[in-house]
């Protein structure tokens, strides 16, 4: 029996990066999955590879209706929502703050910050209702970034959005601490996911670009997706029942110096 046997786990941004790696690990631990991604065909193809009861709903997390529909899908299909991993996000091209286009800034805020707000707005009442009815609420894990707990030169809007995610995490954790819901954030540095690899592929000298990307990381390397997923599962584990409101840095030592 796995740690999440028969628990319903909702993951956004599930077709790639941390989302797909997390979905595979939760499935291996016995979870039932509700998966979402903006790329419908990729999401459906990925879901078919999983050995788990799975429901999918594609859409843009910047649309509040999607968050409500995902919670309803979890409740209708599986009877409850035990874990939510709010992972969907985007990043803008590196540029000094004045050179960041305003329309790009608005989109990053809509996806990375308001997307988490919409998710929490719908997930928290469902989990609180479960707690009142059954004594079991739920766990929420927001995927922030090391840029959410430190500055990120040339990624100012992304950093601002991720700081906001940490703020939502801490505030929601305090509001729901006696209502059966734990809320934590995971704050990774650059990892070997498509988001980082796409940036490296666009560089004329990829080894030099990767060295620059990891220059401030004491471990001097990118994280592997599975290393970040380990932290996500730790935060979501129902046995980890006294930790809430935390921003867990998985950053190769960046915030240690």
């Amino acid at each position: 029996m796995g740690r999440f046997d028969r628990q319903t786990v909702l993951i956004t941004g599930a077709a790639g990066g941390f989302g797909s790696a997390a979905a595979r690990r939760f499935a291996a631990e016995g979870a039932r999955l509700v998966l979402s991604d903006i790329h419908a065909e990729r999401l459906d193809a990925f879901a078919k590879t999983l050995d788990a009861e799975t429901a999918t709903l594609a859409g843009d997390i910047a649309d509040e209706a999607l968050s409500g529909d995902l919670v309803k899908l979890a409740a209708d299909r599986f009877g409850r929502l035990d874990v939510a991993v709010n992972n969907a996000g985007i990043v803008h091209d590196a540029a000094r703050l004045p050179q960041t286009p305003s329309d790009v800034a608005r989109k990053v805020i809509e996806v990375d910050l308001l997307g988490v707000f919409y998710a929490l707005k719908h997930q928290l009442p469902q989990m609180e209702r479960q707690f009142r009815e059954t004594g079991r609420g739920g766990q929420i894990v927001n995927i922030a970034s090391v840029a959410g707990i430190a500055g990120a030169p040339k990624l100012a809007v992304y950093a601002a959005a991720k700081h906001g995610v940490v703020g939502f995490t801490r505030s929601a954790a305090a509001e729901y601490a006696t209502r059966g819901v734990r809320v934590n954030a995971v704050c990774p540095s650059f990892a070997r996911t498509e988001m980082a690899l796409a940036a490296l592929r666009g560089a004329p000298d990829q080894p030099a670009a990767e060295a620059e990307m990891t220059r401030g990381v004491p471990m001097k390397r990118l994280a592997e997706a599975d290393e970040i997923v380990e932290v996500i599962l730790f935060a979501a584990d129902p046995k980890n029942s006294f930790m809430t409101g935390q921003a867990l840095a998985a950053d190769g030592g960046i915030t240690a110096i």
Side-chain angles (χ1 to χ4, degrees):
M1 180 180 294
R3 280 183 285 175
F4 299 93
D5 193 54
R6 303 299 294 171
Q7 292 195 25
T8 304
V9 178
L10 188 165
I11 303 173
T12 64
F18 300 139
S20 61
R24 292 193 188 281
R25 287 294 305 280
F26 277 110
E29 293 275 5
R32 304 176 298 187
L33 302 175
V34 176
L35 305 180
S36 183
D37 198 277
I38 197 169
H39 302 290
E41 292 185 5
R42 192 185 307 170
L43 176 66
D44 288 341
F46 171 66
K48 291 174 182 176
T49 70
L50 297 171
D51 183 17
E53 294 180 71
T54 304
T56 61
L57 181 63
D60 185 350
I61 200 65
D63 179 0
E64 181 179 352
L66 176 64
S67 288
D69 290 343
L70 286 168
V71 171
K72 185 176 186 300
L73 177 58
D76 289 349
R77 183 71 62 88
F78 300 122
R80 57 181 290 117
L81 175 61
D82 297 288
V83 175
V85 180
N86 297 317
N87 167 70
I90 58 175
V91 67
H92 57 84
D93 291 338
R96 295 186 186 277
L97 192 152
Q99 279 72 56
T100 303
S102 296
D103 60 332
V104 170
R106 187 174 297 108
K107 183 63 176 177
V108 171
I109 295 295
E110 287 175 349
V111 174
D112 290 3
L113 182 59
L114 287 178
V116 172
F117 167 70
Y118 299 143
L120 292 170
K121 184 178 178 181
H122 292 275
Q123 293 160 4
L124 288 164
Q126 172 67 29
M127 291 181 174
E128 181 185 14
R129 186 161 50 249
Q130 294 167 182
F131 181 67
R132 290 198 310 265
E133 293 172 354
T134 69
R136 288 195 302 125
Q139 288 73 235
I140 297 175
V141 183
N142 297 320
I143 307 306
S145 169
V146 69
I149 49 180
K154 297 188 178 181
L155 290 174
V157 177
Y158 177 77
K162 294 301 187 178
H163 271 74
V165 171
V166 172
F168 278 145
T169 298
R170 290 173 172 156
S171 300
E175 289 180 13
Y176 282 80
T178 60
R179 300 181 182 189
V181 188
R182 294 189 304 106
V183 189
N184 291 288
V186 173
C187 302
S189 57
F190 285 116
R192 203 171 294 281
T193 64
E194 183 55 34
M195 187 181 289
L197 294 178
L200 292 175
R201 283 196 294 269
D205 184 340
Q206 290 189 33
E210 183 166 339
E212 176 63 23
M213 188 178 283
T214 59
R215 180 168 54 89
V217 182
M219 287 189 177
K220 298 301 180 188
R221 65 176 178 86
L222 298 173
E224 300 298 332
D226 283 343
E227 292 178 303
I228 307 306
V229 170
E230 285 291 344
V231 185
I232 294 172
L233 266 67
F234 167 72
D237 193 329
K239 291 185 178 180
N240 184 14
S241 53
F242 201 58
M243 187 183 77
T244 195
Q246 301 305 302
L248 304 173
D251 63 2
I254 292 174
T255 51
I257 57 176

